[in-house]
Amino acid sequence: MLTRQTDLYRLQSMFASALPVLPNGRITLYDEAVLQLTQTGIRDPLLALPGALWQRLPPLTTTTGNWTVTSDSRILGQANLRGISLEQPLFVVRNRAGHRTAAILGSGTWRWLNLAGDPAEEPRIWPQLVENLIQWLTTPEDDRTVRVGPIQSSFDGNEPIIFSGQVYDESLNPIPDAVVTVEVTAPDGATYPYTMENAGNGRFDLRIDALPEGTYSYTAQATRMNASLGTDTGTFTVGSMNLEHRSTRSNETLLRQIAYQSGGHFLTDATLNTLPDKLASDSLFTSTTQIQTLDFDLRRIPWILGLAILLLGTEWIIRKRNGLA
């Protein structure tokens, strides 16, 4: 936050890499200017307060010099000097490589706490703005603001495809008035656009009738006042796979019922050692002895008799030649 005591030279030399806006030289002129929201600021959730309150705010003490705004920063508010827009940044935020910074180039925000005739039911801008900034600055960068996806990764060919979604601002507060669209791309490249139904409190639902078999991709986009809040993508599969293939966990209750109705037993790994005893006590598994006798009459199979004589004769010759006979 900029005040008259701010050393702009040291600020630039020590924190240039972190600040979203930098002064052009050593600015020493100060004047009073009113904060005027830009179109970006009007749509930004950080400033999601009644528009009439912003118009009633007292002026801030700010510089009249020029500032250089980094390319990845967002100007949420500009200075308005006695009804003339200076197009000079007054409230700037930046999100770069997981690091978030904000700059309010003015002082005197204590005046915002003393608005005459401020209705008790209306929010007080300065405490609410500080709370929004703290939440935004401390929110982990890897948290997605738009989270849309199917409730499961695969569906049967005859069941509907159901999506659920949540939309948050950069401080992870739900955005109830967002519009979420989902574009589904079929395996043949055809696209199908859908609009999710608003379920309230930043949650959205979508039900799509059964689709042909194949692997589909989708792209979800959330907008608010025609400004993009973020996107989400993913894939899902539609096939003939039945419930048994999708649910691989054993149903112990069902298995016990089947065993009881069929006269069997249900065993787990803890009771598996009782299997031999149960088999021994079951009449269906009583051991029996079977004896089968096969007789071969070599006289009725001449070639087997000839082969036996040939082998015996060959053995006798070998033993005779080796002196074993």
Side-chain angles (χ1 to χ4, degrees):
M1 294 184 60
L2 180 68
T3 68
R4 290 181 180 270
Q5 290 74 36
T6 303
D7 189 330
L8 298 179
Y9 176 77
R10 297 185 64 184
L11 181 71
Q12 183 170 6
S13 62
M14 299 180 66
F15 299 102
S17 61
L19 293 175
V21 62
L22 297 172
N24 290 335
R26 303 187 66 174
I27 305 172
T28 56
L29 298 178
Y30 288 84
D31 205 336
E32 291 191 343
V34 176
L35 174 65
Q36 179 180 349
L37 299 186
T38 62
Q39 291 298 318
T40 302
I42 293 175
R43 296 190 298 263
D44 198 288
L46 280 173
L47 309 180
L49 293 167
L53 290 180
W54 293 104
Q55 300 174 5
R56 297 169 47 204
L57 292 179
L60 299 176
T61 302
T62 182
T63 64
T64 58
N66 295 323
W67 294 84
T68 300
V69 181
T70 60
S71 59
D72 53 354
S73 297
R74 305 196 310 271
I75 301 176
L76 305 184
Q78 294 179 333
N80 187 296
L81 183 62
R82 291 179 283 277
I84 301 175
S85 180
L86 302 181
E87 296 185 356
Q88 175 183 319
L90 191 54
F91 185 18
V92 187
V93 295
R94 188 184 74 178
N95 187 352
R96 175 187 293 180
H99 298 280
R100 299 180 176 186
T101 54
I104 299 178
L105 305 178
S107 60
T109 53
W110 58 268
R111 301 173 184 171
W112 294 1
L113 299 175
N114 301 309
L115 291 178
D118 190 6
E121 65 273 9
E122 291 186 352
R124 308 184 74 183
I125 282 189
W126 180 238
Q128 186 63 50
L129 178 59
V130 171
E131 182 179 347
N132 291 350
L133 276 175
I134 292 176
Q135 291 183 2
W136 180 75
L137 290 170
T138 57
T139 298
E141 176 61 24
D142 58 353
D143 285 353
R144 295 176 299 161
T145 57
V146 178
R147 309 170 190 177
V148 177
I151 60 174
Q152 56 195 41
S153 60
S154 59
F155 298 86
D156 289 346
N158 58 351
E159 67 176 328
I161 291 84
I162 299 177
F163 280 79
S164 68
Q166 301 90 40
V167 179
Y168 304 93
D169 60 23
E170 292 182 332
S171 300
L172 290 186
N173 296 313
I175 301 179
D177 57 346
V179 177
V180 182
T181 58
V182 178
E183 185 177 79
V184 177
T185 303
D188 59 0
T191 58
Y192 305 96
Y194 301 93
T195 300
M196 301 191 73
E197 181 179 353
N198 194 331
N201 198 28
R203 296 185 176 274
F204 300 83
D205 299 318
L206 175 63
R207 178 188 177 95
I208 304 175
D209 292 335
L211 296 173
E213 296 183 10
T215 300
Y216 294 78
S217 61
Y218 68 88
T219 300
Q221 182 175 22
T223 58
R224 179 177 179 270
M225 299 176 64
N226 296 325
S228 177
L229 300 176
T231 60
D232 197 3
T233 60
T235 60
F236 63 92
T237 303
V238 177
S240 58
M241 183 170 24
N242 56 33
L243 181 62
E244 181 181 358
H245 290 104
R246 286 195 284 108
S247 180
T248 58
R249 183 181 296 275
S250 63
N251 189 334
E252 182 174 334
T253 302
L254 178 61
L255 293 175
R256 288 185 183 276
Q257 293 176 354
I258 295 175
Y260 175 78
Q261 294 176 4
S262 61
H265 299 278
F266 174 77
L267 302 177
T268 64
D269 54 351
T271 59
L272 189 60
N273 57 346
T274 63
L275 178 59
D277 296 335
K278 292 184 179 298
L279 293 177
S281 62
D282 196 321
S283 60
L284 294 177
F285 296 97
T286 303
S287 61
T288 58
T289 303
Q290 292 184 351
I291 300 175
Q292 185 177 11
T293 303
L294 299 176
D295 295 329
F296 295 94
D297 190 352
L298 296 182
R299 294 175 300 175
R300 299 182 180 275
I301 309 177
W303 67 269
I304 294 181
L305 179 59
L307 179 61
I309 295 174
L310 176 62
L311 291 177
L312 291 174
T314 303
E315 180 193 13
W316 181 83
I317 294 173
I318 294 173
R319 292 171 63 85
K320 192 71 173 177
R321 295 185 61 181
N322 290 278
L324 299 177

